[in-house]
Amino acid sequence: MTDTTRRSWLQQQASQAALLRLGVPLMPLLAAPTQAQAAGSEHRLWYRRPADEWVQALPVGNGRLGAMVFGGTHMERLQLNENSFFSGGPYDTTNPKAREGLPKVRELVFAGRYAEAEKLANETLLGTPNRQMSYQPLAELLLVFPGLDGVRDYERSLDLDEAVATTRFRAGSATLTREVYASAADQLIVVRLSADKPKWITADITLTAPHQKSSGGEGQHTLWVAGTSPTVGGIEGRLPFECRLQLIARGGKVSARNGGLAVQGADEVFILIAGATGYKRFDDISADPAALNAQTLAAALARGPEALRQAHREDHQALFQRVAIDLGTGPNGALPTDERIARFAEGRDPGLAALYLQYGRYLLLASSRPGSRFPANLQGLWNEKTNPSWGSKWTININTEMNYWPAELCNLGETVEPLFAMVEDLAITGAGVAQKMFGAPGWVAFHNTDGWRVAAPTDGAQWGLWPMGGVWLVNTLWESWLFRRDPALLRRLYPLLKGAAEFQLATLVKDPKSGFMVTNPSVSPENSHPHGSSVCAGPAMDSQLLRDLFAYAAEAARELRTDRPFARDCLAMRDRLPPDRIGQAGQLQEWLEDWDLQAPELQHRHVSHLYALYPSAQITPEDTPALAAAARNVMVRRGDDTTGWGIGWRINLWARLQDGEQAYATLNRLLHPKRSYPNLFDAHPPFQIDGNFGGAAGIAELLLQSHRGRITLLPACPKAWPDGRVRGLCARGGFELAFSWRGGELQTLSIASKIGGSTELRWRGGQLPLKLAAGQTARFERRDGRLQRL
């Protein structure tokens, strides 16, 4: 898109939106909701006007390629991304001064000279450069439709079940339909332009890229743009990219014009879009993106548009349709999605929470698929900025892990595969950091990483000096083992667990005051303590993460019948970690010392020391009531009015405390225009997708929890959802469930075991032990006031 064309497009969209906000009917765009709209609201986002900004556009993605669809009438814009396209190129930031600086920083921390320790850490321990590379937009497709008059009856929508974004309106005597989807089956994005009358498709098509160095076409049906990643912070941009489109027109005339393509009087048009980079691995950028795109498009052309659409539908629905959820309907459920968000707090739209859960599942499928080494980043897959907030990469002190909280629970275990791949890469780069910085075995990663798998601390000691990023990542991967119990998965995971544990065993140091083994230096993620710094020793979250890591590593070794001495070392070190402590105000302490009430920011967005409550299960109301009460104390003091992703975390925490009403009140904060953009993207602000995934996981957690050998049904179901049903949620131990409730009471239950095993079922008013063989299903129904097995 040229600057002039883009300005024209933006001006048109902004002026239309302004007039519509003022109630001026510049054209009869708005239509009353139809019965079909109301009936399809469980899987549908829809709107009465085009998007006039990026956070109103609708996302499609296949795990690797993504597009934001704006739904313009006279002009349509597709902003395109490819998940491996990062600035710079392969690089290593490990600071050569680190080995010398580390013991001095530790000495200052133990002496209580925290500000001095932070200053020295910034000088000697931070990576060089201390900024990482950022995720980049790939290209933009602009479609201009001349000669459209009398546009009316406008609607744009995103069908989650079909994974298709559709724009439909009438112009003159015809109804025009534009559809966009991203096919994982065929690795491309498809645009279909159609009308209910022949010869109505006339369009000018251009393809541009922010970092393009060359462009062209082949004949009258192909366009391409190519270039390399930008140079940033002294890291040379060396990653090549190409985006290429192939046009198929049925009827009419196609010609090359002004560096683009022109279609005149066609009956139907398909635009096939392929995108690729030279990325093979963090240290290998030798792939040929032009050859990859040509191969992808040739295969697609051989199959034909109808076969592409069918393959896309079957591939997507095989995963998406595993889960169904019905929380009831209300009068606001028939409204456009942006209006539903604005009015959710009225309590007249329980279906919006169900839609939010399904939207989270859709976004995870769209941004994280097997075959990729790139898990969902801070914005999932979608980014329009060349200098995005926080680099739109991976913040691994909460945000990346939160992206995968709904994966196993919501029956999308396949989406974890790219996270596995990234952690395997980090285990390689992190081993270099462990050796160069600490002289230690194993591997380590700090609070951020990028496309080049940088593992050294970054940004500043205040945020980056946290050596637990790799630990939280492998603990997250352990969840897949707990849900699936797949021996092949455990064999793949074990080297990652072992390497992370070996590093920690070698680098933990004895606290001279308490005698416990602690991390030093570290931070409690992104929070400052009352001594002029964030740098400290042994914050509570570190010990909580390590308790899980050492237990998981030992259990994995036992399961695989290997490394007995290593497993013993893990369990012995676990016993030497500081326990969770309750402070003077009855709160769960964030630091070794009782500093919480003197911290500069008492309502900090991070609640890192509540990891033990969620996503871990070290703290539960049933088994550790005093610690659960102390965790609740923290929740009350911190408050729920925080960033979007912070709200998503708090929903899960309230769910684990079995407080459905407070969880629902927190959900009201998330489903509000302040924290949800019109397209339901989470507003940090700005957009961060972790809030979407955290919120989706939280909604599911209100209905089903499974930890410590128990499966609890409706543990925190709020009064706002008195009746409902769900199918396809999963529980740890290899179980899949379907259940319904009425008046808050469980009515029916079906639980299937995929691998065979035992659990304890719990619900309000009852519990029973259950043992099932692999493939066996147990069914229950409420009769005579009791849940009875059929």
Side-chain angles (χ1 to χ4, degrees):
M1 186 188 300
T2 66
D3 289 341
T4 301
T5 304
R6 180 166 181 160
R7 280 196 299 271
S8 173
W9 181 86
L10 290 171
Q11 289 167 359
Q12 178 201 16
Q13 300 301 311
S15 62
Q16 284 189 8
L19 289 168
L20 286 165
R21 285 193 294 268
L22 292 171
V24 178
L26 72 147
M27 48 183 159
L29 276 178
L30 307 187
T34 65
Q35 288 185 348
Q37 289 164 348
S41 62
E42 63 174 325
H43 289 147
R44 219 167 151 269
L45 286 68
W46 74 278
Y47 306 84
R48 305 180 196 228
R49 56 181 65 96
D52 57 85
E53 56 181 326
W54 192 83
V55 290
Q56 295 176 3
L58 295 172
V60 298
N62 64 14
R64 188 180 66 84
L65 286 174
M68 294 294 287
V69 184
F70 283 70
T73 54
H74 295 73
M75 292 184 183
E76 172 62 291
R77 174 192 176 198
L78 268 66
Q79 186 268 310
L80 305 169
N81 288 101
E82 200 274 353
N83 68 357
S84 68
F85 191 40
F86 273 75
S87 58
Y91 72 118
D92 177 16
T93 69
T94 309
N95 194 325
K97 301 177 182 178
R99 288 284 290 275
E100 181 181 351
L102 179 64
K104 298 177 182 179
V105 172
R106 282 177 168 166
E107 182 180 342
L108 289 169
V109 169
F110 279 143
R113 296 160 62 183
Y114 302 106
E116 293 176 60
E118 185 169 308
K119 181 177 183 295
L120 183 61
N122 278 322
E123 295 169 354
T124 62
L125 303 186
L126 280 194
T128 52
N130 67 354
R131 293 291 185 272
Q132 295 178 351
M133 299 298 102
S134 58
Y135 183 48
Q136 295 295 301
L138 181 72
E140 291 196 356
L141 173 68
L142 181 68
L143 308 174
V144 179
F145 303 94
L148 291 181
D149 296 317
V151 174
R152 61 198 184 279
D153 297 338
Y154 175 92
E155 179 192 295
R156 66 186 174 99
S157 64
L158 176 63
D159 187 318
L160 306 182
D161 187 59
E162 291 280 333
V164 175
T166 301
T167 303
R168 183 174 289 112
F169 56 88
R170 290 187 61 77
S173 61
T175 298
L176 284 78
T177 302
R178 301 167 187 165
E179 298 170 295
V180 183
Y181 65 89
S183 169
D186 290 284
Q187 286 299 301
L188 43 73
I189 293 172
V190 179
V191 181
R192 176 178 179 255
L193 311 175
S194 63
D196 63 351
K197 292 190 175 182
K199 302 182 180 180
W200 259 82
I201 308 301
T202 295
D204 296 321
I205 303 168
T206 57
L207 184 67
T208 61
H211 303 299
Q212 74 182 62
K213 294 184 176 179
S214 59
S215 62
E218 296 173 8
Q220 296 179 343
H221 291 80
T222 303
L223 292 176
W224 56 268
V225 292
T228 56
S229 57
T231 296
V232 176
I235 306 302
E236 181 185 0
R238 296 191 287 125
L239 180 64
F241 78 90
E242 190 206 62
C243 185
R244 180 179 295 247
L245 70 78
Q246 180 77 40
L247 187 143
I248 304 170
R250 292 176 174 170
K253 179 183 178 182
V254 180
S255 59
R257 182 190 299 171
N258 299 326
L261 300 176
V263 179
Q264 181 72 38
D267 300 330
E268 187 177 35
V269 170
F270 295 90
I271 303 171
L272 312 183
I273 306 167
T277 74
Y279 196 104
K280 284 188 172 180
R281 203 177 79 153
F282 63 88
D283 55 357
D284 185 350
I285 55 173
S286 63
D288 183 345
L292 292 170
N293 288 339
Q295 181 181 359
T296 296
L297 291 172
L301 285 171
R303 286 165 55 76
E306 287 73 23
L308 295 177
R309 179 65 173 267
Q310 181 65 20
H312 163 68
R313 179 185 295 112
E314 291 176 355
D315 171 82
H316 174 75
Q317 291 183 345
L319 298 167
F320 183 79
Q321 290 185 350
R322 289 173 179 171
V323 169
I325 179 171
D326 179 1
L327 299 177
T329 58
N332 290 353
L335 296 173
T337 304
D338 50 349
E339 296 180 36
R340 295 178 73 180
I341 296 168
R343 299 174 64 173
F344 181 70
E346 295 175 3
R348 292 154 53 88
D349 190 6
L352 185 59
L355 177 67
Y356 197 87
L357 183 147
Q358 292 287 34
Y359 189 50
R361 296 181 68 248
Y362 168 87
L363 293 173
L364 192 53
L365 274 174
S367 57
S368 187
R369 285 288 200 111
S372 169
R373 303 195 73 79
F374 289 82
N377 63 39
L378 274 175
Q379 297 186 170
L381 179 62
W382 304 275
N383 166 48
E384 69 168 343
K385 298 177 181 178
T386 57
N387 185 25
S389 301
W390 305 286
S392 189
K393 44 191 170 60
W394 295 274
T395 301
I396 56 178
N397 67 13
I398 173 62
N399 312 93
T400 303
E401 291 85 358
M402 184 182 285
N403 285 357
Y404 288 87
W405 287 353
E408 299 289 349
L409 173 61
C410 294
N411 214 333
L412 291 176
E414 293 88 345
T415 63
V416 181
E417 167 60 30
L419 185 65
F420 254 104
M422 184 178 81
V423 177
E424 287 170 333
D425 288 347
L426 278 172
I428 298 171
T429 59
V433 174
Q435 180 58 42
K436 295 174 188 176
M437 188 172 175
F438 292 86
W443 68 277
V444 62
F446 286 76
H447 93 299
N448 253 303
T449 191
D450 61 9
W452 310 110
R453 305 308 186 234
V454 170
T458 188
D459 295 333
Q462 177 181 355
W463 308 280
L465 204 62
W466 188 65
M468 306 299 293
V471 175
W472 200 349
L473 288 173
V474 294
N475 287 358
T476 300
L477 296 178
W478 179 260
E479 290 294 312
S480 292
W481 159 251
L482 293 179
F483 273 90
R484 289 186 249 166
R485 295 285 177 174
D486 178 358
L489 184 151
L490 187 61
R491 287 192 293 271
R492 182 181 179 185
L493 175 58
Y494 182 66
L496 305 176
L497 279 167
K498 184 178 180 181
E502 284 178 328
F503 172 82
Q504 299 294 336
L505 288 170
T507 58
L508 290 173
V509 290
K510 187 176 182 179
D511 174 41
K513 291 183 180 179
S514 67
F516 291 114
M517 299 298 289
V518 297
T519 51
N520 182 9
S522 188
V523 299
S524 185
E526 301 186 27
N527 201 4
S528 297
H529 56 66
H531 297 282
S533 175
S534 295
V535 175
C536 63
M541 187 190 202
D542 289 12
S543 297
Q544 294 169 0
L545 284 162
L546 289 170
R547 274 196 287 276
D548 277 349
L549 172 69
F550 291 142
Y552 299 162
E555 182 178 338
R558 287 195 300 272
E559 287 280 342
L560 297 172
R561 299 181 180 180
T562 188
D563 291 335
R564 287 185 179 180
F566 165 72
R568 286 195 296 268
D569 290 345
C570 285
L571 295 178
M573 184 63 79
R574 188 176 190 269
D575 289 339
R576 300 180 67 189
L577 297 171
D580 285 318
R581 298 180 176 187
I582 298 174
Q584 59 184 313
Q587 88 287 358
L588 192 71
Q589 283 185 200
E590 185 164 358
W591 293 279
L592 269 176
E593 304 290 339
D594 193 357
W595 293 338
D596 299 45
L597 299 190
Q598 289 78 47
E601 193 175 347
L602 295 179
Q603 293 184 314
H604 197 270
R605 63 194 179 278
H606 284 258
V607 282
S608 302
H609 51 313
L610 300 191
Y611 164 88
L613 176 64
Y614 183 92
S616 183
Q618 295 174 34
I619 296 175
T620 69
E622 303 95 333
D623 304 303
T624 58
L627 291 175
R632 177 183 289 273
N633 181 300
V634 173
M635 294 285 289
V636 172
R637 290 176 179 277
R638 286 287 168 94
D640 297 327
D641 189 9
T642 184
T643 59
W645 66 263
I647 293 173
W649 193 354
R650 283 158 172 79
I651 295 169
N652 287 276
L653 290 164
W654 285 120
R656 284 289 177 91
L657 290 171
Q658 300 176 12
D659 191 334
E661 300 315 303
Q662 190 62 43
Y664 184 74
T666 309
L667 179 63
N668 271 314
R669 295 183 183 277
L670 188 64
L671 288 174
H672 183 279
K674 184 179 178 182
R675 290 292 176 253
S676 287
Y677 290 114
N679 64 0
L680 267 182
F681 272 175
D682 171 69
H684 179 291
F687 164 53
Q688 279 190 195
I689 205 166
D690 38 29
N692 288 100
F693 295 138
I699 292 166
E701 198 80 13
L702 292 171
L703 305 176
L704 173 68
Q705 294 179 20
S706 61
H707 42 266
R708 295 203 173 200
R710 303 185 291 259
I711 296 175
T712 308
L713 301 155
L714 306 178
C717 185
K719 294 176 183 177
W721 306 337
D723 308 324
R725 56 185 175 176
V726 66
R727 170 183 55 79
L729 295 183
C730 294
R732 293 168 181 83
F735 298 97
E736 184 173 328
L737 296 93
F739 53 93
S740 66
W741 65 96
R742 187 169 60 248
E745 294 282 354
L746 193 64
Q747 300 296 311
T748 63
L749 168 65
S750 172
I751 176 169
S753 175
K754 301 176 183 179
I755 58 172
S758 300
T759 188
E760 181 184 274
L761 289 176
R762 292 190 176 188
W763 64 95
R764 190 171 77 182
Q767 64 185 68
L768 62 85
L770 183 69
K771 184 176 182 179
L772 297 175
Q776 185 180 4
T777 299
R779 293 179 173 84
F780 302 82
E781 185 176 297
R782 182 168 294 277
R783 293 178 178 177
D784 300 324
R786 294 174 55 248
L787 198 68
Q788 300 182 28
R789 187 168 182 174
L790 302 180

